Amino acid sequence: MNRVLLVDDDVELASMLREYIESEGFAADAVHDGEAGVAAALSGRYAIVVLDVMMPGVNGIEALRRIRAHSQVPVLMLTARGDDVDRIVGLELGADDYVPKPCTPRELVARLRAIRSEEHTSELQSRQGISY
């Protein structure tokens, strides 16, 4: 499954990222608030979630907390808040990667592939009883 969920209140950015991600072989959907993002992320339809931090209402950090309370779907935080403390908090709360904006769509796709590759490797190892 290569379906990506983009959660970002910047409609234009989400649309541009969605188009680029789809041109690279992923299927992608976008929602524009944290509440809808949590519901979609927990639907089981997505292989990975790209989550903005600064959104009105339910922000990305709270959305990540809610997602992690029920799911281990990979989450990549994509945000303009790129200082050390924000990155560390996001990673400590369970984000799989943290990318500061601006970021090129090509880098985002490379990171999505890297996370999917790690997830696939972990899945194969657990099926084969391999642990490190």
Side-chain angles (χ1 to χ4, degrees):
M1 177 168 69
N2 284 327
R3 183 164 286 282
V4 176
L5 174 64
L6 298 166
V7 184
D8 197 316
D9 62 328
D10 184 334
V11 176
E12 281 185 47
L13 176 64
S15 177
M16 186 267 302
L17 290 175
R18 194 179 111 246
E19 286 178 26
Y20 187 84
I21 289 168
E22 288 177 340
S23 77
E24 292 293 319
F26 291 87
D29 296 315
V31 296
H32 306 293
D33 66 79
E35 198 72 50
V38 170
L42 296 177
S43 72
R45 294 181 24 193
Y46 297 96
I48 191 165
V49 177
V50 177
L51 181 60
D52 184 24
V53 170
M54 296 190 319
M55 292 183 289
V58 175
N59 66 34
I61 296 296
E62 179 58 27
L64 178 62
R65 281 190 184 114
R66 292 181 187 185
I67 292 167
R68 282 294 172 256
H70 303 284
S71 173
Q72 289 303 309
V73 63
V75 176
L76 182 150
M77 304 296 286
L78 178 65
T79 181
R81 296 185 63 164
D83 64 352
D84 289 347
V85 172
D86 290 323
R87 283 195 308 269
I88 291 166
V89 168
L91 293 167
E92 287 177 345
L93 289 174
D96 295 274
D97 200 354
Y98 199 104
V99 181
K101 290 178 184 174
C103 140
T104 66
R106 185 174 177 189
E107 178 184 0
L108 179 61
V109 167
R111 288 175 180 267
L112 291 173
R113 286 189 173 125
I115 291 171
R116 291 284 298 137
S117 175
E118 288 172 16
E119 176 186 294
H120 180 70
T121 300
S122 295
E123 188 178 301
L124 286 176
Q125 289 170 348
S126 23
R127 281 190 210 150
Q128 296 169 355
I130 299 170
S131 62
Y132 295 97

